[in-house]
């Protein structure tokens, strides 16, 4: 009589993924954000995994969670395994759509730096489709379906430009400014992500002026447009407002500038093989400057009867 014992119960893949993310990111909330689920779901997955194993992977404390020795032992192999799985999935996506390139980038970079370059990129490689996803934080390219990341970063490798900041405003407002001390008399617009811009720049002055609190915007591109409309001054990131300065929609009323430690960086966490669409797009973006819009024509001279 053949022996057919019951098959040992498999460990659920979703629970293993939740464990690896929580262990690598040092918390259930961070894991939930990366996985696109709620912290409660991560907690439930890990509890299910611990019950199946019959052993704890995390120690719960009033200040959060920390790995048990068992969890510490397991983490490196699971990180390696999920990285390999992510690479296999991305290779499959690339083979299924070899002429499509997915770029993850900050909304402001997508609107103000990348968008002006897309027409020339399409003309240079009409067979390539570029898909852009705006994100607030760089994704894990080993796990996510993006070929390239384009964000401001402290990492020098892959840097395209430095991040230099200085006040900008509409020319009509600049005409009423004679020195940085005049900033105190006008609204100062801010971006929610770069909320410390004004403080960082003002500290480069020998006598920093008070910075009036103006509107705060969740989208830097919207703050730029309001600045163009004359709503106040804004700290311009040179990489992002270059076209506005070139065509005269904005001007830099003061010469003082500050170059930050970070810069605009283009990178991929997996090898970009020669001849692939992703490699072509990355090389093209690194070497091709943005097209400069034509300068505005001066108004015709007034005629007198």
């Amino acid at each position: 009589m053949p022996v057919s014992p019951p098959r040992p119960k498999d460990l659920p893949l979703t629970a293993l993924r939740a464990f690896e993310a929580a262990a690598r990111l040092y918390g259930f909330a961070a894991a939930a954000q990366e996985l696109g689920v709620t912290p409660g779901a991560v907690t439930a997955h890990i509890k299910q995994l611990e019950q199946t194993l019959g052993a704890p992977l995390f120690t719960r404390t009033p200040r959060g969670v920390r790995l048990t020795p068992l969890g510490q032992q397991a983490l490196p192999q699971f990180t390696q395994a999920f990285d390999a799985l992510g690479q296999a999935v991305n290779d499959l996506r690339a083979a299924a759509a070899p002429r499509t390139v997915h770029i993850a980038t900050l909304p402001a970079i997508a609107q103000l730096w990348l968008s002006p370059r897309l027409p020339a990129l399409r003309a240079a490689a009409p067979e390539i489709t570029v898909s852009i996803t705006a994100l607030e934080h760089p994704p894990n390219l080993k796990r996510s379906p993006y070929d390239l990341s384009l964000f401001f970063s402290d990492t020098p490798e892959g840097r395209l430009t430095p991040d230099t900041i200085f006040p900008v405003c509409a020319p009509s407002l600049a005409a009423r400014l004679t020195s940085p001390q005049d900033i105190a008399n006008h609204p100062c617009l801010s971006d929610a992500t770069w909320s410390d811009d004004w403080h960082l720049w003002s500290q480069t002055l020998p006598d920093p002026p008070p910075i009036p609190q103006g509107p705060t915007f969740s989208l830097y591109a919207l703050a730029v447009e309001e600045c163009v409309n004359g709503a106040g001054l804004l700290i311009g990131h040179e990489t992002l407002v270059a076209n506005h300065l070139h065509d005269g929609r904005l001007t830099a009323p003061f010469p003082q500038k500050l170059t930050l430690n970070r810069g605009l960086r283009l990178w991929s966490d997996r090898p970009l093989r020669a001849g692939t669409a992703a490699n072509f797009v990355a090389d093209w973006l690194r070497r091709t400057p943005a097209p400069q819009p034509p300068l505005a024509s001066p108004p015709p001279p007034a005629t007198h009867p």
Side-chain angles (χ1 to χ4, degrees):
M1 180 177 178
V3 177
S4 180
R7 186 172 181 267
K9 189 175 183 181
D10 287 333
L11 298 177
L13 183 62
T14 52
L16 292 171
R17 190 184 294 275
F19 157 71
E20 189 277 335
R24 173 171 43 85
L25 299 173
Y26 307 105
F28 291 3
Q33 183 175 6
E34 178 178 276
L35 298 174
V37 299
T38 65
V42 172
T43 301
H45 283 313
I46 292 174
K47 184 177 180 180
Q48 176 192 13
L49 181 59
E50 291 176 325
Q51 289 175 342
T52 304
L53 287 170
L57 296 167
F58 292 92
T59 299
R60 280 72 170 172
T61 72
R63 293 189 174 184
V65 297
R66 56 186 176 86
L67 284 169
T68 64
L70 177 62
Q72 293 173 358
Q73 176 185 335
L75 175 60
Q77 287 182 300
F78 278 105
T79 296
Q80 183 179 13
F82 281 116
D83 282 348
L85 178 60
Q87 180 65 63
V89 171
N90 286 325
D91 288 346
L92 180 61
R93 290 179 188 271
R99 308 312 295 171
T100 299
V101 179
H102 298 273
I103 302 176
T105 188
L106 199 67
I109 298 172
Q111 293 170 281
L112 300 173
W113 191 91
L114 192 53
S115 179
R117 288 166 167 77
L118 292 181
L121 176 56
R122 284 194 298 269
E127 75 283 2
I128 293 177
T129 299
V130 176
S131 173
I132 300 170
T133 301
L135 301 173
E136 291 297 331
H137 303 285
N140 182 346
L141 292 184
K142 294 178 180 179
R143 311 278 183 91
S144 56
Y146 305 110
D147 301 293
L148 302 170
S149 267
L150 184 62
F151 288 83
F152 287 106
S153 171
D154 296 337
T155 303
E157 183 182 359
R159 184 171 295 182
L160 303 179
T161 64
D163 188 14
T164 300
I165 63 174
F166 47 86
V168 296
C169 63
S172 58
L173 177 54
R176 306 199 299 272
L177 303 171
T178 58
S179 76
Q181 296 303 316
D182 294 335
I183 290 174
N185 303 318
H186 300 279
C188 291
L189 315 182
S190 298
D191 174 79
T193 300
W194 296 317
S195 58
D196 60 346
D197 276 358
W198 276 109
H199 173 75
L200 291 173
W201 176 81
S202 67
Q203 294 310 300
T204 66
L205 304 176
D207 183 20
I211 306 297
Q213 180 63 50
T216 298
F217 298 86
S218 62
L219 292 175
Y220 185 75
L222 183 56
V224 170
E225 287 308 303
E226 275 297 273
C227 190
V228 170
N229 294 336
L233 293 106
L234 173 70
I235 291 294
H237 291 252
E238 189 168 34
T239 297
L240 303 181
V241 299
N243 283 349
H244 292 74
L245 294 170
H246 176 79
D247 63 19
R249 285 175 290 169
L250 291 176
T251 187
F254 314 116
Q256 293 88 350
K257 296 184 177 183
L258 172 64
T259 297
L260 304 175
N261 291 330
R262 67 186 179 221
L264 182 62
R265 180 180 177 234
L266 178 69
W267 79 95
S268 177
D269 283 344
R270 51 185 181 270
L272 297 178
R273 293 184 291 273
T276 62
N279 187 64
F280 175 89
V281 169
D283 285 345
W284 191 93
L285 290 174
R286 290 188 185 106
R287 68 174 186 266
T288 307
Q292 295 292 342
L295 296 173
S297 301
T303 58
H304 301 281

